[in-house]
Amino acid sequence: MGSLQLEPARSRPDLLATPVSKALAIWPVDAPVDADQVLVAPIDPGLADTAAFCEAYQVGLEVSANCVIVAGRRGEVTRYAACIVLATTRADVNGVVRRHLDVRKCSFAPMDEAVRLTGMEYGGITPIGLPADWPILVDARVAATPHVIVGSGVRHSKIAVAGPALGALPGAEVIDGLAKEIS
């Protein structure tokens, strides 16, 4: 995991957004990994964006996952979801995600809306601790990665967790082809 100084996330609530701490406190007993195997490391908040983070902490893009919040509309109804994709890929928002959510129009949720609804900081949003009624769409490549680095809900740290554990989160669904390789 590069040069990150990792430790059990539950022992460092100061490095987690409140919804993330709460989710770790009720971590599913049938999850592929124990809650103590969810690790966290402090980082420079100015380096939270994926490319800068990976370069500064010697973490490969192929093990860095992004959690993007999407909003889809059908009529007057807006549906939110989280998409978890590797940093080497981009979520297929207008194809796979739109069809999966059964919406006419789908796009990335506006930053202020994503922050308000998740209780997390922009650039640190993570699938752990999202609103319970949101689907969590996990690209199959993420779920197949032994360990991935993802946000912690705040910009001053990152979480390291087994990819299969993200696919087993409550409300998660692993989807082949959720993301496309970045050219």
Side-chain angles (χ1 to χ4, degrees):
M1 296 281 113
S3 62
L4 295 174
Q5 301 297 312
L6 296 162
E7 53 191 301
R10 290 196 309 182
S11 71
R12 292 297 308 269
D14 59 308
L15 294 178
L16 305 169
T18 301
V20 178
S21 288
K22 288 179 180 178
L24 287 173
I26 57 168
W27 190 255
V29 293
D30 59 346
V33 298
D34 185 69
D36 289 332
Q37 291 174 300
V38 178
L39 306 175
V40 68
I43 66 164
D44 178 337
L47 298 172
D49 294 332
T50 304
F53 163 76
C54 287
E55 183 178 335
Y57 293 94
Q58 295 96 46
V59 172
L61 290 171
E62 71 282 356
V63 296
S64 182
N66 292 319
C67 179
V68 294
I69 304 303
V70 296
R73 290 190 56 83
R74 179 173 286 284
E76 297 300 314
V77 177
T78 300
R79 295 182 183 127
Y80 294 94
C83 298
I84 316 308
V85 300
L86 292 176
T88 57
T89 65
R90 185 165 301 157
D92 184 6
V93 174
N94 290 308
V96 174
V97 176
R98 182 183 56 78
R99 286 189 300 275
H100 189 80
L101 294 178
D102 191 29
V103 294
R104 261 189 89 225
K105 186 177 181 183
C106 192
S107 60
F108 296 106
M111 176 181 61
D112 58 335
E113 199 170 287
V115 167
R116 180 177 52 80
L117 294 171
T118 63
M120 299 180 201
E121 295 177 6
Y122 185 74
I125 294 176
T126 186
I128 300 169
L130 289 175
D133 59 339
W134 287 13
I136 299 172
L137 311 179
V138 181
D139 186 69
R141 288 171 277 210
V142 173
T145 303
H147 288 91
V148 294
I149 302 293
V150 68
S152 63
V154 294
R155 291 183 61 86
H156 63 273
S157 66
K158 293 282 185 180
I159 285 177
V161 64
L166 294 177
L169 287 170
E173 184 175 344
V174 176
I175 300 175
D176 283 318
L178 178 68
K180 297 178 180 181
E181 290 290 329
I182 297 172
S183 328

